[in-house]
Amino acid sequence: MTSHVLGKVVTSAWSDPHPRFSDGEQVLGRRVEAVVRRGKYLLLSLDDGTEMVVHLGMTGVLQVAGPEIVERHLRGRWEFDDGTVLVLHDPRKFGRVTLVRAGEYEDLPTLSELGPEPLEEDFTPEGFGEALGKSRANVKSKLLSQRIVAGVGNIYADEALWAARIHPQASSLGTDEVERLHRAVRDALESGIERRGTTLRDYRTADGTSGENQHSLLCYGRAGEPCSRCGTLLVSSRVAGRGTTHCPACQVLRTRAGGDEVATSEEAPE
DNA sequence: CGCAGCGCCTGAAGGC
DNA sequence: TGCCTTCAGGCGCTGC
C-alpha cells in the first residue's frame, strides 16, 4: 500500500456521503508524505499538515484498483498523479475515514488512547501487567479496548486467552498469567500476519486475495469441538458483548479471596 | 469517572 | 420457495 501512494498527489477524490466516509473527498490536491499503521488505524500524512485516518472496521478492504472498479459497496476512490487508483470497499460501513490535523486525534478516542504495538519492544510483560492491573474489568474487555495493547480484535483475543489458558472473564491475573498472555498475544498476531490475515466470510472483491489464518485457529469459532489441548468440548458464550469461545477445562475462572470472581457455571446456555 | 451495553450496517444462514 | 429472524463485530456513544 505504502509504495503505491507515497509521494503522490491526489488528483481525484470521491467518497461515500455517509458521515463515516465523507471526509475522504477533502484530500484532493494533497501529497501523501507518510503512511503509518497504528493498531487497526492507517494514518496517511498529507502535505498540508492534515492526516487521513482510515479504519477498515470488520469488512473494509483498501486496495489498489485494477482496470475495472467494482461499484458495489464502494466507499472511497482516490486517483493519484501517476494514474494509481486506490479504492475502499466496505459492505457494512463499519469502517471510517477521518481527516484530522496531524497528530490531533481527539475525534478518535480509541486512537488517542491506543496502547503499545504488540510486536514492538515497548510491549513488555511488566508494562502489560501494570496496565491490566489498573482496572477490574474482565480481561477480554481489556484486550478488545485497544488501550492496553493495540490491534487485538475478537478472534485474536479468544485465541490468545485460550493459548494462555486464561478465562475470558478473569479480572485479575497473576504474574505467570500475565507473562503467558503477553506471549500469547504476540504469537496470535504473528501467526495472523504470517498467514496474511483471517478470512472468515467472502467479503472480498473479485481481485482481492484472502488470508489463510482461519485454518490455524484453535479456539475461535470452534465451540462444540474438542479442545486440541485437552479434548474437552469448547464452549460458546458472550463476553463484552462479543461471541466468545473458551475451554471450560483449560481456562478456569478462579475464585479469589475478595470474592469478585465466581468459578461456578458461567458457561453459556445451549 | 469507569465501564457495561447499545446502535450502527449488511449479508449470510437458519427456521418455518 | 420465500419471507422473516438472528447473528456477525469495531468502536463511538450513552447512561448508570
Side-chain angles (χ1 to χ4, degrees):
Chain A
M1 228 296 289
T2 302
S3 63
H4 286 108
V5 302
L6 193 61
K8 298 175 184 176
V9 174
V10 180
T11 54
S12 161
W14 173 88
S15 61
D16 188 306
H18 189 288
R20 294 179 80 114
F21 302 97
S22 57
D23 279 7
E25 66 179 21
Q26 295 178 34
V27 302
L28 181 65
R30 301 280 67 84
R31 183 186 301 272
V32 179
E33 293 191 323
V35 180
V36 171
R37 182 195 59 77
R38 277 288 284 130
K40 304 178 190 174
Y41 296 85
L42 190 64
L43 313 174
L44 291 91
S45 299
L46 307 175
D47 64 355
D48 62 346
T50 64
E51 215 171 299
M52 187 168 86
V53 181
V54 180
H55 194 294
L56 298 177
M58 278 176 67
T59 56
V61 175
L62 187 64
Q63 62 185 146
V64 175
E68 56 201 54
I69 304 290
V70 179
E71 295 292 330
R72 189 167 160 82
H73 304 137
L74 189 66
R75 309 299 174 204
R77 182 188 183 279
W78 299 271
E79 189 166 346
F80 295 86
D81 53 353
D82 69 338
T84 296
V85 177
L86 190 66
V87 292
L88 173 63
H89 291 268
D90 185 9
R92 283 190 203 173
K93 300 185 181 178
F94 269 32
R96 188 169 168 182
V97 175
T98 313
L99 192 65
V100 302
R101 288 196 292 171
E104 298 185 10
Y105 305 130
E106 52 274 8
D107 289 344
L108 297 159
T110 301
L111 177 59
S112 63
E113 295 179 42
L114 203 63
E117 292 294 324
L119 303 183
E120 296 292 324
E121 286 186 7
D122 62 342
F123 178 57
T124 62
E126 294 74 23
F128 186 46
E130 189 182 341
L132 285 170
K134 284 179 180 168
S135 145
R136 278 184 297 279
N138 67 71
V139 64
K140 178 159 179 175
S141 295
K142 288 188 262 194
L143 288 178
L144 294 178
S145 77
Q146 310 299 305
R147 286 157 173 79
I148 291 175
V149 58
V152 178
N154 198 42
I155 295 171
Y156 297 116
D158 276 10
E159 290 298 303
L161 289 166
W162 178 86
R165 308 194 308 281
I166 294 169
H167 194 285
Q169 288 181 302
S171 68
S172 59
L173 305 182
T175 308
D176 51 344
E177 292 174 313
V178 169
E179 286 178 4
R180 291 205 304 270
L181 188 56
H182 174 267
R183 181 76 259 160
V185 165
R186 283 196 155 168
D187 289 347
L189 286 169
E190 269 177 358
S191 168
I193 292 165
E194 195 176 310
R195 294 174 176 79
R196 311 193 77 250
T198 306
T199 305
L200 291 176
R201 298 170 189 83
D202 190 8
Y203 286 114
R204 288 166 293 105
T205 51
D207 49 354
T209 56
S210 69
E212 294 299 327
N213 196 55
Q214 61 275 16
H215 307 305
S216 302
L217 301 179
L218 297 175
C219 180
Y220 177 88
R222 291 186 176 273
E225 297 180 34
C227 171
S228 63
R229 195 165 40 212
C230 77
T232 305
L233 296 187
L234 299 176
V235 165
S236 164
S237 66
R238 284 191 90 75
V239 178
R242 295 288 165 255
T244 298
T245 305
H246 79 282
C247 173
C250 296
Q251 298 168 266
V252 177
L253 190 58
R254 290 169 298 109
T255 305
R256 291 195 158 250
D260 55 342
E261 291 174 11
V262 183
T264 48
S265 57
E266 85 295 331
E267 285 79 16
E270 350 101 316

mmCIF file of all heavy atoms in Angstrom, chain A residues 55 58 92 94 110 220 242, chain C residues 7-13:
data_model
loop_
_atom_site.group_PDB
_atom_site.id
_atom_site.type_symbol
_atom_site.label_atom_id
_atom_site.label_comp_id
_atom_site.label_asym_id
_atom_site.label_seq_id
_atom_site.Cartn_x
_atom_site.Cartn_y
_atom_site.Cartn_z
ATOM 1 N N HIS A 55 -9.937 3.514 9.017
ATOM 2 C CA HIS A 55 -10.180 2.290 9.776
ATOM 3 C C HIS A 55 -11.061 1.402 8.915
ATOM 4 O O HIS A 55 -12.040 1.865 8.334
ATOM 5 C CB HIS A 55 -10.867 2.615 11.108
ATOM 6 C CG HIS A 55 -10.853 1.476 12.081
ATOM 7 N ND1 HIS A 55 -11.537 0.302 11.861
ATOM 8 C CD2 HIS A 55 -10.217 1.309 13.264
ATOM 9 C CE1 HIS A 55 -11.325 -0.529 12.883
ATOM 10 N NE2 HIS A 55 -10.528 0.064 13.735
ATOM 11 N N MET A 58 -14.896 -4.052 10.180
ATOM 12 C CA MET A 58 -14.864 -5.508 10.025
ATOM 13 C C MET A 58 -14.651 -5.921 8.584
ATOM 14 O O MET A 58 -13.945 -6.874 8.284
ATOM 15 C CB MET A 58 -16.220 -6.101 10.428
ATOM 16 C CG MET A 58 -16.428 -6.303 11.857
ATOM 17 S SD MET A 58 -18.100 -6.892 12.023
ATOM 18 C CE MET A 58 -17.943 -8.484 11.230
ATOM 19 N N ARG A 92 -20.462 -3.249 5.141
ATOM 20 C CA ARG A 92 -21.228 -2.935 6.345
ATOM 21 C C ARG A 92 -21.038 -1.530 6.878
ATOM 22 O O ARG A 92 -21.649 -1.179 7.883
ATOM 23 C CB ARG A 92 -20.882 -3.930 7.448
ATOM 24 C CG ARG A 92 -21.572 -5.224 7.200
ATOM 25 C CD ARG A 92 -21.469 -6.145 8.359
ATOM 26 N NE ARG A 92 -21.658 -7.487 7.837
ATOM 27 C CZ ARG A 92 -21.518 -8.576 8.525
ATOM 28 N NH1 ARG A 92 -21.158 -8.504 9.773
ATOM 29 N NH2 ARG A 92 -21.719 -9.740 7.975
ATOM 30 N N PHE A 94 -18.792 -0.306 8.637
ATOM 31 C CA PHE A 94 -18.215 -0.215 9.974
ATOM 32 C C PHE A 94 -16.873 0.497 9.931
ATOM 33 O O PHE A 94 -16.314 0.841 10.955
ATOM 34 C CB PHE A 94 -18.046 -1.603 10.585
ATOM 35 C CG PHE A 94 -19.231 -2.060 11.371
ATOM 36 C CD1 PHE A 94 -20.502 -1.671 11.013
ATOM 37 C CD2 PHE A 94 -19.078 -2.873 12.467
ATOM 38 C CE1 PHE A 94 -21.601 -2.094 11.732
ATOM 39 C CE2 PHE A 94 -20.165 -3.305 13.205
ATOM 40 C CZ PHE A 94 -21.437 -2.905 12.840
ATOM 41 N N THR A 110 -10.313 6.181 20.649
ATOM 42 C CA THR A 110 -9.545 4.939 20.757
ATOM 43 C C THR A 110 -8.124 5.140 20.237
ATOM 44 O O THR A 110 -7.154 4.690 20.850
ATOM 45 C CB THR A 110 -10.245 3.812 19.979
ATOM 46 O OG1 THR A 110 -11.555 3.635 20.514
ATOM 47 C CG2 THR A 110 -9.490 2.497 20.118
ATOM 48 N N TYR A 220 -11.300 -19.854 18.454
ATOM 49 C CA TYR A 220 -12.359 -19.021 17.883
ATOM 50 C C TYR A 220 -13.178 -19.817 16.859
ATOM 51 O O TYR A 220 -12.622 -20.467 15.966
ATOM 52 C CB TYR A 220 -11.753 -17.787 17.202
ATOM 53 C CG TYR A 220 -12.798 -16.913 16.537
ATOM 54 C CD1 TYR A 220 -13.435 -15.915 17.245
ATOM 55 C CD2 TYR A 220 -13.153 -17.136 15.215
ATOM 56 C CE1 TYR A 220 -14.408 -15.133 16.645
ATOM 57 C CE2 TYR A 220 -14.137 -16.357 14.607
ATOM 58 C CZ TYR A 220 -14.754 -15.359 15.328
ATOM 59 O OH TYR A 220 -15.714 -14.599 14.723
ATOM 60 N N ARG A 242 -19.524 -9.811 22.909
ATOM 61 C CA ARG A 242 -18.994 -10.478 21.725
ATOM 62 C C ARG A 242 -19.102 -11.978 21.865
ATOM 63 O O ARG A 242 -18.976 -12.514 22.973
ATOM 64 C CB ARG A 242 -17.510 -10.117 21.531
ATOM 65 C CG ARG A 242 -17.288 -8.650 21.241
ATOM 66 C CD ARG A 242 -17.763 -8.286 19.843
ATOM 67 N NE ARG A 242 -17.881 -6.851 19.652
ATOM 68 C CZ ARG A 242 -19.039 -6.200 19.628
ATOM 69 N NH1 ARG A 242 -20.182 -6.837 19.807
ATOM 70 N NH2 ARG A 242 -19.060 -4.904 19.414
ATOM 71 P P DC C 7 -29.354 -14.810 17.959
ATOM 72 O OP1 DC C 7 -29.205 -15.986 18.839
ATOM 73 O OP2 DC C 7 -29.680 -13.487 18.504
ATOM 74 O "O5'" DC C 7 -28.014 -14.673 17.102
ATOM 75 C "C5'" DC C 7 -27.639 -15.741 16.238
ATOM 76 C "C4'" DC C 7 -26.533 -15.274 15.338
ATOM 77 O "O4'" DC C 7 -27.065 -14.411 14.316
ATOM 78 C "C3'" DC C 7 -25.441 -14.474 16.062
ATOM 79 O "O3'" DC C 7 -24.213 -15.146 15.890
ATOM 80 C "C2'" DC C 7 -25.465 -13.103 15.385
ATOM 81 C "C1'" DC C 7 -26.125 -13.396 14.039
ATOM 82 N N1 DC C 7 -26.875 -12.265 13.434
ATOM 83 C C2 DC C 7 -26.670 -11.941 12.088
ATOM 84 O O2 DC C 7 -25.835 -12.590 11.438
ATOM 85 N N3 DC C 7 -27.370 -10.924 11.546
ATOM 86 C C4 DC C 7 -28.254 -10.252 12.278
ATOM 87 N N4 DC C 7 -28.925 -9.267 11.685
ATOM 88 C C5 DC C 7 -28.485 -10.568 13.648
ATOM 89 C C6 DC C 7 -27.778 -11.573 14.190
ATOM 90 P P DA C 8 -22.998 -14.828 16.887
ATOM 91 O OP1 DA C 8 -22.354 -16.115 17.181
ATOM 92 O OP2 DA C 8 -23.457 -13.950 17.981
ATOM 93 O "O5'" DA C 8 -22.029 -13.967 15.970
ATOM 94 C "C5'" DA C 8 -21.490 -14.541 14.796
ATOM 95 C "C4'" DA C 8 -20.914 -13.450 13.944
ATOM 96 O "O4'" DA C 8 -21.983 -12.760 13.288
ATOM 97 C "C3'" DA C 8 -20.206 -12.360 14.757
ATOM 98 O "O3'" DA C 8 -18.831 -12.702 14.906
ATOM 99 C "C2'" DA C 8 -20.367 -11.125 13.875
ATOM 100 C "C1'" DA C 8 -21.557 -11.456 12.980
ATOM 101 N N9 DA C 8 -22.709 -10.587 13.171
ATOM 102 C C8 DA C 8 -23.369 -10.318 14.341
ATOM 103 N N7 DA C 8 -24.384 -9.502 14.198
ATOM 104 C C5 DA C 8 -24.376 -9.205 12.848
ATOM 105 C C6 DA C 8 -25.193 -8.385 12.037
ATOM 106 N N6 DA C 8 -26.212 -7.690 12.510
ATOM 107 N N1 DA C 8 -24.910 -8.319 10.723
ATOM 108 C C2 DA C 8 -23.889 -9.017 10.242
ATOM 109 N N3 DA C 8 -23.053 -9.824 10.895
ATOM 110 C C4 DA C 8 -23.355 -9.878 12.207
ATOM 111 P P DG C 9 -18.106 -12.333 16.237
ATOM 112 O OP1 DG C 9 -16.894 -13.178 16.234
ATOM 113 O OP2 DG C 9 -19.058 -12.358 17.358
ATOM 114 O "O5'" DG C 9 -17.685 -10.825 15.989
ATOM 115 C "C5'" DG C 9 -16.824 -10.502 14.901
ATOM 116 C "C4'" DG C 9 -16.810 -9.020 14.748
ATOM 117 O "O4'" DG C 9 -18.153 -8.573 14.425
ATOM 118 C "C3'" DG C 9 -16.419 -8.257 16.034
ATOM 119 O "O3'" DG C 9 -15.572 -7.167 15.705
ATOM 120 C "C2'" DG C 9 -17.738 -7.725 16.558
ATOM 121 C "C1'" DG C 9 -18.462 -7.478 15.245
ATOM 122 N N9 DG C 9 -19.916 -7.355 15.359
ATOM 123 C C8 DG C 9 -20.703 -7.722 16.396
ATOM 124 N N7 DG C 9 -21.967 -7.434 16.229
ATOM 125 C C5 DG C 9 -22.013 -6.835 14.985
ATOM 126 C C6 DG C 9 -23.104 -6.300 14.254
ATOM 127 O O6 DG C 9 -24.277 -6.259 14.586
ATOM 128 N N1 DG C 9 -22.696 -5.805 13.022
ATOM 129 C C2 DG C 9 -21.419 -5.814 12.546
ATOM 130 N N2 DG C 9 -21.216 -5.285 11.343
ATOM 131 N N3 DG C 9 -20.384 -6.305 13.215
ATOM 132 C C4 DG C 9 -20.752 -6.793 14.424
ATOM 133 P P DG C 10 -14.087 -7.150 16.259
ATOM 134 O OP1 DG C 10 -13.287 -7.966 15.364
ATOM 135 O OP2 DG C 10 -14.053 -7.390 17.712
ATOM 136 O "O5'" DG C 10 -13.736 -5.613 16.037
ATOM 137 C "C5'" DG C 10 -13.461 -5.132 14.719
ATOM 138 C "C4'" DG C 10 -13.455 -3.626 14.734
ATOM 139 O "O4'" DG C 10 -14.816 -3.133 14.714
ATOM 140 C "C3'" DG C 10 -12.808 -2.983 15.950
ATOM 141 O "O3'" DG C 10 -12.150 -1.798 15.509
ATOM 142 C "C2'" DG C 10 -13.971 -2.699 16.891
ATOM 143 C "C1'" DG C 10 -15.123 -2.455 15.923
ATOM 144 N N9 DG C 10 -16.419 -2.994 16.342
ATOM 145 C C8 DG C 10 -16.635 -4.149 17.044
ATOM 146 N N7 DG C 10 -17.910 -4.400 17.227
ATOM 147 C C5 DG C 10 -18.559 -3.348 16.601
ATOM 148 C C6 DG C 10 -19.941 -3.063 16.467
ATOM 149 O O6 DG C 10 -20.901 -3.733 16.875
ATOM 150 N N1 DG C 10 -20.163 -1.886 15.767
ATOM 151 C C2 DG C 10 -19.182 -1.077 15.266
ATOM 152 N N2 DG C 10 -19.585 0.013 14.621
ATOM 153 N N3 DG C 10 -17.892 -1.323 15.380
ATOM 154 C C4 DG C 10 -17.655 -2.458 16.064
ATOM 155 P P DC C 11 -11.399 -0.874 16.529
ATOM 156 O OP1 DC C 11 -10.393 -0.165 15.717
ATOM 157 O OP2 DC C 11 -11.019 -1.646 17.710
ATOM 158 O "O5'" DC C 11 -12.497 0.196 16.952
ATOM 159 C "C5'" DC C 11 -13.097 0.994 15.952
ATOM 160 C "C4'" DC C 11 -14.236 1.769 16.551
ATOM 161 O "O4'" DC C 11 -15.343 0.891 16.864
ATOM 162 C "C3'" DC C 11 -13.922 2.496 17.863
ATOM 163 O "O3'" DC C 11 -14.459 3.781 17.770
ATOM 164 C "C2'" DC C 11 -14.672 1.695 18.911
ATOM 165 C "C1'" DC C 11 -15.895 1.307 18.088
ATOM 166 N N1 DC C 11 -16.711 0.218 18.648
ATOM 167 C C2 DC C 11 -18.094 0.249 18.462
ATOM 168 O O2 DC C 11 -18.594 1.175 17.822
ATOM 169 N N3 DC C 11 -18.863 -0.737 18.994
ATOM 170 C C4 DC C 11 -18.281 -1.732 19.671
ATOM 171 N N4 DC C 11 -19.075 -2.675 20.166
ATOM 172 C C5 DC C 11 -16.874 -1.787 19.864
ATOM 173 C C6 DC C 11 -16.132 -0.800 19.341
ATOM 174 P P DG C 12 -13.697 5.060 18.261
ATOM 175 O OP1 DG C 12 -12.752 5.444 17.208
ATOM 176 O OP2 DG C 12 -13.235 4.831 19.633
ATOM 177 O "O5'" DG C 12 -14.875 6.129 18.283
ATOM 178 C "C5'" DG C 12 -15.670 6.314 17.120
ATOM 179 C "C4'" DG C 12 -17.089 6.650 17.521
ATOM 180 O "O4'" DG C 12 -17.767 5.459 18.001
ATOM 181 C "C3'" DG C 12 -17.188 7.674 18.643
ATOM 182 O "O3'" DG C 12 -18.252 8.571 18.334
ATOM 183 C "C2'" DG C 12 -17.510 6.831 19.880
ATOM 184 C "C1'" DG C 12 -18.318 5.689 19.283
ATOM 185 N N9 DG C 12 -18.238 4.433 20.013
ATOM 186 C C8 DG C 12 -17.092 3.801 20.442
ATOM 187 N N7 DG C 12 -17.324 2.674 21.054
ATOM 188 C C5 DG C 12 -18.701 2.542 21.031
ATOM 189 C C6 DG C 12 -19.533 1.514 21.540
ATOM 190 O O6 DG C 12 -19.211 0.483 22.131
ATOM 191 N N1 DG C 12 -20.883 1.772 21.301
ATOM 192 C C2 DG C 12 -21.353 2.887 20.651
ATOM 193 N N2 DG C 12 -22.679 2.985 20.514
ATOM 194 N N3 DG C 12 -20.583 3.855 20.165
ATOM 195 C C4 DG C 12 -19.282 3.622 20.396
ATOM 196 P P DC C 13 -18.469 9.902 19.144
ATOM 197 O OP1 DC C 13 -18.910 10.909 18.166
ATOM 198 O OP2 DC C 13 -17.290 10.147 19.997
ATOM 199 O "O5'" DC C 13 -19.693 9.535 20.078
ATOM 200 C "C5'" DC C 13 -20.908 9.066 19.485
ATOM 201 C "C4'" DC C 13 -21.768 8.421 20.531
ATOM 202 O "O4'" DC C 13 -21.152 7.210 20.994
ATOM 203 C "C3'" DC C 13 -21.986 9.286 21.777
ATOM 204 O "O3'" DC C 13 -23.350 9.668 21.797
ATOM 205 C "C2'" DC C 13 -21.612 8.373 22.951
ATOM 206 C "C1'" DC C 13 -21.593 6.984 22.319
ATOM 207 N N1 DC C 13 -20.658 6.007 22.936
ATOM 208 C C2 DC C 13 -21.173 4.844 23.524
ATOM 209 O O2 DC C 13 -22.403 4.669 23.530
ATOM 210 N N3 DC C 13 -20.318 3.946 24.065
ATOM 211 C C4 DC C 13 -19.007 4.172 24.044
ATOM 212 N N4 DC C 13 -18.205 3.253 24.581
ATOM 213 C C5 DC C 13 -18.456 5.336 23.451
ATOM 214 C C6 DC C 13 -19.307 6.235 22.910
#
